Amino acid sequence: MKGTNQTLVTDFILIGLTSLRELQIMYFVLFLLIYILTVTSNTIIIIIARLDYNLHTPMYFFLSNFAFLEIWYITATVPTMLSGLLTKRKRISYQGCITQSCFFFCLGATEFFILAVMALDRYVAICNPLRYPAIMNERVCGQLAGASWLGGFMTGWLFTIPTSRLIFCADNRIDHFFCDFAPLLTLACSDKSPSEITFYFLSYSVVLCSLLLTTVSYFNIGKTIMRIPSKAGRQKAFSTCASHLTVVVIFYGTVIFMYLRPASSYSFHMDKVISVFYCAITPFLNPMIYSLRNHDVRKALQKLGTKLRGSFLQGE
């Protein structure tokens, strides 16, 4: 029995955000708009980073990776939520549930690693500006990005192995809008210890290691900025990492509160609200944070808009 998965449940029912039809329609329109805008805005960031020669730098290479990641991160959960809001069919197969959970945590772990690498990039740019082009060359940037993706997906797969071996006997109602770890674990009727131990070990390892690298990077960035004699120089140096720091605070804050708190404090109703924030709202806000606070991105967007208007007028 221990050697094979003997799950009796073949599918799960996702309860979702609400059972009220009026709210379901309102939520569907709202989150569909958020999803479309998130995918569109992140795609635009990737396009302008590729087309604008001025953005062919390590900072925007990592930003492009981050934007690409955000597209898949929101796609891992929100379409399932939208399907549940629009239709009466709220079922997801057992295989589909495990697969969704796997990809969600693969992409989540990758986001931590990429945010840490982006902090490292800002550290080298501000603390070692003369050596920055040599240190953060194209080969190194590719290796760091590749290691982030590989590390994230390995973490997700390691988490999924013990979870996929859980046995579900009768209750198949998941009190969530996607197959998250805690509500899925409550339904298991087999020994949950291996899955819990693996999950919390990997969660703490990924979060604390990436947070340590990010904190050390920004500590040294702060010391370097404070040594800049002119106020204008300090503001310019800080502006190059303000957007990233804002995203880091929002993402780490919500995820740490969600996954690294004691199990006794879990409240599935509150957890769904928090999950909406980091699954949908944060990916939606991140492109705006980068475009509104970053002069180079705004300038590239203006240039792209001018070219598109010119092409449209010529077509007429």
Side-chain angles (χ1 to χ4, degrees), residues 31-295:
F31 288 110
L32 177 62
L33 183 62
I34 287 175
Y35 179 72
I36 292 172
L37 290 175
T38 301
V39 172
T40 302
S41 56
N42 279 293
T43 301
I44 290 173
I45 287 179
I46 295 171
I47 291 172
I48 63 173
R50 294 284 295 176
L51 296 181
D52 195 315
Y53 180 77
N54 295 322
L55 301 185
H56 290 182
T57 63
M59 176 180 176
Y60 295 103
F61 170 76
F62 293 125
L63 179 57
S64 297
N65 272 266
F66 184 71
F68 182 72
L69 172 65
E70 290 286 75
I71 293 172
W72 288 105
Y73 184 70
I74 194 172
T75 301
T77 56
V78 172
T80 303
M81 180 208 298
L82 293 174
S83 177
L85 291 169
L86 185 63
T87 66
K88 293 182 179 180
R89 178 176 175 79
K90 302 178 184 294
R91 293 182 179 272
I92 183 172
S93 68
Y94 169 80
Q95 292 81 3
C97 188
I98 296 298
T99 301
Q100 182 187 51
S101 181
C102 176
F103 273 97
F104 175 74
F105 286 104
C106 284
L107 295 167
T110 303
E111 184 153 349
F112 278 110
F113 293 139
I114 287 185
L115 286 173
V117 167
M118 292 172 76
L120 179 64
D121 171 68
R122 291 299 83 206
Y123 160 73
V124 178
I126 294 173
C127 300
N128 296 280
L130 297 179
R131 299 179 57 201
Y132 178 62
I135 296 175
M136 301 300 291
N137 56 55
E138 186 175 346
R139 176 170 166 270
V140 170
C141 289
Q143 290 174 340
L144 289 172
S148 298
W149 284 92
L150 180 61
F153 273 76
M154 285 182 62
T155 301
W157 279 110
L158 288 173
F159 154 77
T160 304
I161 292 172
T163 304
S164 66
R165 301 184 72 81
L166 292 172
I167 298 175
F168 301 91
C169 299
D171 190 3
N172 68 339
R173 293 171 61 85
I174 299 178
D175 190 8
H176 215 306
F177 59 86
F178 77 101
C179 293
D180 202 0
F181 175 74
L184 188 62
L185 195 68
T186 59
L187 302 182
C189 56
S190 59
D191 183 14
K192 306 173 186 179
S193 300
S195 186
E196 285 184 300
I197 293 171
T198 302
F199 177 80
Y200 286 108
F201 173 76
L202 292 174
S203 297
Y204 275 95
S205 298
V206 170
V207 173
L208 294 180
C209 289
S210 60
L211 182 60
L212 178 63
L213 178 58
T214 303
T215 302
V216 171
S217 297
Y218 273 106
F219 177 76
N220 286 287
I221 288 171
K223 289 199 304 181
T224 301
I225 290 176
M226 293 306 296
R227 288 198 295 265
I228 298 175
S230 68
K231 182 179 179 180
R234 290 195 298 270
Q235 289 178 339
K236 183 178 179 181
F238 179 75
S239 67
T240 64
C241 55
S243 300
H244 176 259
L245 186 58
T246 303
V247 171
V248 165
V249 171
I250 294 173
F251 184 71
Y252 273 83
T254 53
V255 173
I256 287 174
F257 179 80
M258 182 70 184
Y259 292 107
L260 302 188
R261 57 197 167 103
S264 59
S265 65
Y266 283 156
S267 167
F268 287 138
H269 178 72
M270 179 60 68
D271 288 354
K272 283 191 281 189
V273 175
I274 300 169
S275 297
V276 166
F277 193 82
Y278 67 75
C279 288
I281 305 300
T282 301
F284 170 68
L285 292 176
N286 287 345
M288 291 191 289
I289 292 172
Y290 276 106
S291 61
L292 292 176
R293 297 185 65 93
N294 192 298
H295 174 74

